[in-house]
Amino acid sequence: MEHLIFMADCPQQLKSTFLASSLRMDWESNNELTDFVAPQTRWLGFDHDSLNLCRLSDYPTAAGFTEPCLWNANFRDSRSDFAELSAPEVGRRVVAFFQAWLFFGLLESVVLKKVETSVFGVRANSATKAQTNEDIQLDIRLVHRWVSRFTAWSHPSFRLKVEANYPGLLDILEGIVPAIIRLAECIEQTRLFALMDQPFMGTLSWQYPFQAQEARRMRLKQLGWCPFQIRLLQDTVNQSTMDWIVASQIQQDPVGHQKCTENDCARNNIDSSTYKQTHVCTGVQCTKLTPSVSQIMNIIRQDEIPVVRLERTGGVDCLAVSAISKTSPSSFVAISHVWADGLGGATETGLNNCQVERINSLCISVLEGQGGAWFWLDCLCIPKTDKDIYYKALDGIKDVYKCATSVLVIDKTIQRCLVDSPTEYLYAHIYLSAWMQRMWTYEEAVLSRELVFSLKNGLYKYRFNTGPSMRRTVCVVWQSLASQLFRLRAGPEYLTIGHIYQAFRYRLCNVPQDEFISVAGMLGLDTITLLRKTGGERTKAFWLMLKWVPSDVVFLDGPKLNIPGFQWAPRTLMNPSRTALDTDINAMKAKCTINGLIGTYNTIQFCPVLIGRGRDHGSIAYLWVNGSDESVQAPGDHRALLRVYCVENWSSNGSGFDSIIFPNSLGYILKPGQWIPGAALNSQSDPPRCSYIGRVLLERIKNEEMIVSDGTIMFEGRSRIVVDTQGKWSIRELCII
């Protein structure tokens, strides 16, 4: 039940396989096909083979189950023959059904053939209608809703209730969900490849149940990965990739990570008062090489790029200095690195001779030359004793990486890889490297003309068209990692604040004030003006310069500016989060003005006012939506019961709000059982002006759950809940302050 994928050796075999009335595979004699992960998910024995082929949504009925009872965790009443069984046995049989339905049922809905569990064979059914692109995506979403439900049941808030009624059920359920998720991710990836020209509903984010997730987190920790890196993986790559890293035993040197947290990788933090450069020699007789500080400063004053080269004069190594024109640059290499690897400093202090020799040798290889190579390195080309020169050098960093012939990345984690390492293995090391976790390195990569990585035994020149090198069973892993590295090469014509936010979420910087200088440089904004401002005023000035921002910026979590008119605005983009920001250059925009953010949003305005509090049961409220006004064109009955959760940074004293806005296309109505982030607002005396209050999470209660009088595992019951407020769906232009 892992990734048993048939791969034809030739076109004729593919044709005969397709036309065969019965497909069977002896997996034991073809074990080389299953190198992704050894089959380890136990088959629980549901009688799947006796069922006729049917639509995925009809599978519960065909199997004799009542789906609303399953959704409400009323498992004993979900099937007529469960009445006399013990609670543990009911739980075991229900999980066995879930396994058959969401794994083999999903497979059948995609291949449109009866899939037999005993030998993992496929029985043809010529009468079956072709499955459409939309059908596949809808079936994947059905599975996703159920997996999300399983994860919710496993939350500590609900786990005890489920276990009290059906002992052992969640332990068994958590054993089968990973295989279901991996299959769904594999199908999603295959659909993207096979139907790339078809409409796409968007990629889904899958979550393991809590204890399964914690068990895998512990295995990653044993491999040396720190809490920050584990959270990075959990929030940004798919579940198959995390399982592959565990199965492949990809390890990290744990040195320096003892004090790491989920929000910070301590290994990369630098204390400038105790910082020391490292050697690549014994260091006994190694001296420092320092370029001419006056020459470097004069070049910066003349608005040119200072570069250095290792030369030998009279038997002594020295650093020659030259100037590169920004308008017609000659050949040179710009070095991209992290200070934690020992190459930090300033022009005035220089760099260890052994490191200069190593870098010089690498740059010669990059430029494929015979003599010395000119290169730019921050610790040799940015003086710090003159404040004006220092600021001008910082402003010029964007030009350095734009003009460089190549940008060479030097990182300890990446240098563990060989030139013949599988692409997936190399990409995993790049993505989990310290270099990928620092703020400035993103600008250095995204502005480069050519990006080159230093490996253990050579160089790797990054290319968009570098495909997967391992079997197609792990193509889903390659795609997940490649999509993250793709952000490193977003060209200026495509680069948006959304791309930068996605890349910055898990990056850190020793000088937080530099953040929006880097962002402004990438977006072509006025960095000199920003350098003259500090603190929140610099951040405010940045958003005003940007002017047009993705309208979903108000739904980002993390700290906000405490400035009138800008309480919606992120104070930083470097905030670990699963929340995304639209990257499309043609995405729906809102206008940032000195008076607030002006944009059009899906809105629910209600009365009476709700009071939200942090860490309090009062932060959960029920909102009855009694239809919609004429601004909403979507057909259907729009009445709905919503559960509202106040999340992150709400005051314990309570804050009032009378409106909620939420993303997605205008006129969009939440589907039953769906969860979606939103923002709580409080209307001012002038109706279009609303104060930003905080982030909320909205859940639309399914009708079959809502009508239950005495309650379910996750719903108190129609007779017990109190509706706190009422409102209507609408579409409104607002000024958020």
Side-chain angles (χ1 to χ4, degrees), residues 62-181:
F65 282 86
T66 304
E67 187 175 350
C69 290
L70 293 171
W71 182 266
N72 295 335
N74 182 13
F75 302 129
R76 185 172 294 282
D77 294 338
S78 66
R79 184 167 163 142
S80 59
D81 56 358
F82 283 178
E84 303 301 322
L85 298 179
S86 67
E89 180 60 18
V90 170
R92 193 198 66 77
R93 294 194 184 191
V94 166
V95 176
F97 162 75
F98 281 140
Q99 183 182 43
W101 177 28
L102 301 179
F103 190 91
F104 285 101
L106 177 60
L107 269 177
E108 290 180 343
S109 77
V110 174
V111 302
L112 296 172
K113 300 175 187 290
K114 183 64 187 175
V115 179
E116 299 174 1
T117 61
S118 58
V119 292
F120 211 85
V122 181
R123 193 169 62 230
N125 188 328
S126 58
T128 305
K129 183 181 177 181
Q131 180 82 316
T132 68
N133 168 60
E134 183 178 359
D135 290 336
I136 293 173
Q137 294 188 73
L138 290 174
D139 283 348
I140 289 288
R141 273 157 173 72
L142 184 153
V143 175
H144 184 267
R145 284 196 298 274
W146 276 98
V147 169
S148 299
R149 191 70 167 180
F150 300 157
T151 301
W153 287 344
S154 73
H155 189 277
S157 301
F158 306 110
R159 189 180 191 95
L160 291 178
K161 295 181 182 179
V162 176
E163 286 296 316
N165 292 330
Y166 303 99
L169 179 144
L170 287 176
D171 290 336
I172 305 173
L173 189 65
E174 287 173 329
I176 68 164
V177 168
I180 293 170
I181 291 177

Side-chain angles (χ1 to χ4, degrees), residues 321-386:
V321 177
S322 184
I324 299 288
S325 168
K326 294 180 181 179
T327 56
S328 55
S330 54
S331 180
F332 77 100
V333 176
I335 308 301
S336 182
H337 68 103
V338 295
W339 279 38
D341 285 349
L343 294 176
T347 307
E348 293 84 353
T349 56
L351 183 63
N352 294 328
N353 197 332
C354 62
Q355 293 283 20
V356 174
E357 290 178 351
R358 176 175 73 122
I359 292 171
N360 181 70
S361 176
L362 288 170
C363 290
I364 291 173
S365 298
V366 170
L367 298 178
E368 300 177 352
Q370 300 299 317
W374 293 105
F375 64 91
W376 184 97
L377 178 63
D378 56 355
C379 75
L380 296 175
C381 301
I382 298 183
K384 290 188 175 180
T385 51
D386 186 310

Side-chain angles (χ1 to χ4, degrees), residues 517-567:
I517 302 301
S518 174
V519 178
M522 286 184 276
L523 296 176
L525 303 178
D526 184 0
T527 53
I528 290 293
T529 297
L530 290 180
L531 279 166
R532 297 192 185 105
K533 298 179 181 292
T534 59
E537 288 301 317
R538 176 181 289 181
T539 309
K540 172 185 170 181
F542 166 80
W543 290 112
L544 285 170
M545 283 183 185
L546 192 59
K547 189 174 180 178
W548 292 101
V549 302
S551 59
D552 57 353
V553 69
V554 296
F555 306 114
L556 297 183
D557 49 3
K560 309 289 185 180
L561 284 177
N562 188 23
I563 298 175
F566 290 81
Q567 293 180 337

Side-chain angles (χ1 to χ4, degrees), residues 1 43 327 444 457 557 723:
M1 286 195 62
W43 174 241
T327 56
E444 295 162 7
N457 62 340
D557 49 3
V723 173

Side-chain angles (χ1 to χ4, degrees), residues 291-494:
S292 169
V293 177
S294 61
Q295 280 187 275
I296 295 286
M297 286 186 172
N298 285 333
I299 292 171
I300 294 172
R301 284 193 189 96
Q302 294 165 12
D303 200 29
E304 293 183 310
I305 299 170
V307 291
V308 297
R309 181 172 70 183
L310 179 63
E311 294 184 352
R312 195 167 184 83
T313 304
V316 179
D317 287 344
C318 64
L319 284 171
V321 177
S322 184
I324 299 288
S325 168
K326 294 180 181 179
T327 56
S328 55
S330 54
S331 180
F332 77 100
V333 176
I335 308 301
S336 182
H337 68 103
V338 295
W339 279 38
D341 285 349
L343 294 176
T347 307
E348 293 84 353
T349 56
L351 183 63
N352 294 328
N353 197 332
C354 62
Q355 293 283 20
V356 174
E357 290 178 351
R358 176 175 73 122
I359 292 171
N360 181 70
S361 176
L362 288 170
C363 290
I364 291 173
S365 298
V366 170
L367 298 178
E368 300 177 352
Q370 300 299 317
W374 293 105
F375 64 91
W376 184 97
L377 178 63
D378 56 355
C379 75
L380 296 175
C381 301
I382 298 183
K384 290 188 175 180
T385 51
D386 186 310
K387 184 177 180 181
D388 291 336
I389 292 294
Y390 176 66
Y391 279 167
K392 191 169 180 60
L394 287 183
D395 180 55
I397 285 177
K398 60 183 182 294
D399 299 311
V400 170
Y401 289 93
K402 284 179 182 177
C403 294
T405 308
S406 299
V407 171
L408 174 63
V409 177
I410 301 175
D411 178 275
K412 284 184 177 179
T413 299
I414 300 171
Q415 286 181 314
R416 289 160 51 189
C417 298
L418 303 173
V419 291
D420 59 352
S421 293
T423 305
E424 296 81 356
Y425 183 84
L426 173 59
Y427 280 8
H429 281 78
I430 293 175
Y431 189 55
L432 289 165
S433 68
W435 180 81
M436 278 289 289
Q437 296 166 20
R438 304 308 287 176
M439 182 198 76
W440 283 108
T441 56
Y442 179 69
E443 179 182 0
E444 295 162 7
V446 82
L447 296 179
S448 66
R449 288 192 275 173
E450 179 180 69
L451 191 61
V452 182
F453 293 90
S454 173
L455 306 183
K456 188 174 184 178
N457 62 340
L459 300 171
Y460 166 70
K461 294 185 178 181
Y462 178 76
R463 295 286 185 269
F464 284 137
N465 59 358
T466 302
S469 57
M470 299 178 71
R471 294 190 181 279
R472 278 172 278 175
T473 50
V474 293
C475 186
V476 65
V477 173
W478 170 86
Q479 187 275 335
S480 184
L481 293 168
S483 66
Q484 298 297 333
L485 299 193
F486 180 81
R487 300 189 195 284
L488 299 174
R489 306 301 296 131
E493 66 275 24
Y494 301 111

Side-chain angles (χ1 to χ4, degrees), residues 135 586 649:
D135 290 336
N586 298 314
N649 303 324

